[in-house]
Amino acid sequence: MLRMLRKHQQLRPGMILLFLSLCHLIQDQKVQAGNCWLQQGRNGRCQVLYMPGMSREECCRSGRLGTSWTEEDVPNSTLFRWMIFSGGAPNCMLCKETCDNVDCGPGKRCKMSKRSKPRCVCAPDCSNVTWKGPVCGSDGRTYKDECALLKAKCKGHPDLEVQYQGKCKKTCRDVLCPGSSTCVVDQTNNAYCVTCNRICPEVTSPDQYLCGNDGIIYASACHLRRATCLLGRSIGVAYEGKCVKAKSCEDIRCSAGKKCLWDAKMSRGRCAVCNEPCPEQRPDEAVCASDNATYPSECIMKQAACSMGVLLEVKHSGSCNCK
């Protein structure tokens, strides 16, 4: 390169110095180029490629915990081979090696792992929790206290909220809903606190019609929810579309994955999901069904209903012989 510069004697010394500085800068940037990754796996390799051709300074600028960088500027074929066959890229360098200046977000804090790596763990602030007893969550599960619910929310249930104080109940009796929410018993006889939406948007398509389990046609899902809320118990959807005068399940068309079950008492059909597996039941889950038979659990009752093609509902918990 210097030989070429000597051939052009007309170039001034200042221009030659500037040219050499640019060459050095380009070469320095090439050395610093690498690949930015979103996480470092337990195997110590970089995983989930974010962007190739980035310097470590650019890669680590976000301050995100888990962001990592590799110095090797390799072809895409090598990156692909590392990610598919090798469990990630080697020589992985974490951007954050300590908990200094790490912001894990609300409800979490940074903690060094046993392998001396910073990680975000759930640590909700429970200092403002006044109720120390159990609470019923919006997922229908009982938590020993509100702090336990907040931990569950942090660990992967961002929409989880406290419905009401006390254990989850099967009836609205003694359920005190917060604010303007109303207690409603759903189709599984679980009590929930919901906010009644008294205004529903105008129906724009006949596809929005639903036939309720009460035999009434509802203009949309919003209209059915509003009626449920005002009634205080679940109405449920029998099937999509307007209610038809059916003599049997042959007159009712269910959507994919559902089967028609006939309600002989009301002379109505209802579409139900019939392929759900039942978890291992506990002794206290037995139910007395509307056919006056005892089933080990509500789920097994539903399976029996599907096999017979008839509608079965829970009369009460426990054996039919107990009441």
Side-chain angles (χ1 to χ4, degrees):
M1 185 176 288
L2 289 174
R3 192 177 300 166
M4 291 176 62
L5 290 174
R6 290 193 185 100
K7 290 181 181 180
H8 299 277
Q9 297 293 332
Q10 68 272 24
L11 290 176
R12 297 179 182 179
M15 294 180 68
I16 295 173
L17 183 62
L18 177 62
F19 183 77
L20 290 174
S21 299
L22 288 171
C23 289
H24 177 74
L25 179 62
I26 292 171
Q27 184 178 9
D28 185 56
Q29 286 183 341
K30 187 175 180 181
V31 170
Q32 289 183 358
N35 297 296
C36 191
W37 306 78
L38 292 179
Q39 67 183 40
Q40 185 186 64
R42 293 192 174 185
N43 57 6
R45 289 175 171 258
C46 281
Q47 299 172 347
V48 190
L49 180 65
Y50 171 64
M51 189 175 292
M54 289 187 75
S55 68
R56 178 166 184 170
E57 182 182 3
E58 291 172 327
C59 177
C60 298
R61 190 172 293 159
S62 67
R64 179 183 174 274
L65 192 65
T67 303
S68 306
W69 185 76
T70 52
E71 187 176 4
E72 290 89 353
D73 189 9
V74 296
N76 290 337
S77 58
T78 303
L79 288 174
F80 179 80
R81 191 167 62 253
W82 280 345
M83 289 186 285
I84 300 300
F85 302 109
S86 303
N91 305 319
C92 184
M93 292 178 277
L94 272 172
C95 288
K96 290 283 187 181
E97 297 179 346
T98 67
C99 281
D100 295 342
N101 301 319
V102 172
D103 182 12
C104 291
K108 295 184 179 181
R109 65 180 178 86
C110 183
K111 181 181 178 182
M112 298 301 291
S113 69
K114 293 180 180 179
R115 300 174 63 192
S116 299
K117 292 182 179 180
R119 64 189 184 102
C120 289
V121 297
C122 290
D125 182 11
C126 301
S127 59
N128 294 327
V129 175
T130 55
W131 174 259
K132 302 300 181 183
V135 294
C136 182
S138 52
D139 57 352
R141 294 180 56 191
T142 298
Y143 294 84
K144 67 175 184 178
D145 53 37
E146 189 173 344
C147 199
L149 182 142
L150 291 173
K151 287 181 181 178
K153 180 177 182 176
C154 171
K155 289 181 178 179
H157 302 278
D159 298 326
L160 184 61
E161 301 290 343
V162 174
Q163 283 203 99
Y164 50 86
Q165 295 174 350
K167 295 181 179 180
C168 293
K169 295 179 173 60
K170 293 285 186 180
T171 173
C172 282
R173 189 184 308 146
D174 300 327
V175 172
L176 183 62
C177 291
S180 59
S181 58
T182 304
C183 181
V184 172
V185 177
D186 70 359
Q187 287 178 283
T188 60
N189 294 320
N190 289 312
Y192 287 89
C193 288
V194 298
T195 301
C196 292
N197 183 11
R198 299 184 181 277
I199 301 176
C200 288
E202 185 178 349
V203 176
T204 57
S205 170
D207 295 337
Q208 292 179 268
Y209 283 107
L210 296 172
C211 179
N213 288 336
D214 54 0
I216 297 175
I217 300 171
Y218 294 91
S220 68
C222 176
H223 289 82
L224 188 143
R225 286 195 300 269
R226 183 179 66 180
T228 293
C229 206
L230 296 175
L231 186 63
R233 60 177 175 83
S234 175
I235 296 172
V237 178
Y239 46 85
E240 296 175 356
K242 292 184 177 182
C243 298
V244 296
K245 291 182 179 180
K247 295 181 179 179
S248 70
C249 273
E250 293 181 1
D251 300 324
I252 297 171
R253 182 180 298 176
C254 295
S255 57
K258 292 186 177 183
K259 179 181 178 180
C260 178
L261 305 180
W262 188 252
D263 183 356
K265 183 180 179 181
M266 302 299 296
S267 297
R268 287 198 289 257
R270 183 183 302 183
C271 295
V273 178
C274 283
N275 57 357
E276 291 183 337
C278 291
E280 185 177 349
Q281 65 270 9
R282 301 192 305 268
D284 60 346
E285 288 185 324
V287 294
C288 178
S290 51
D291 61 349
N292 293 318
T294 302
Y295 295 88
S297 69
E298 187 174 348
C299 182
I300 293 178
M301 180 201 73
K302 290 179 180 178
Q303 285 186 341
C306 287
S307 65
M308 295 185 291
V310 297
L311 179 68
L312 293 177
E313 294 182 312
V314 176
K315 287 179 67 177
H316 58 77
S317 299
S319 172
C320 292
N321 297 326
C322 294
K323 290 187 179 181

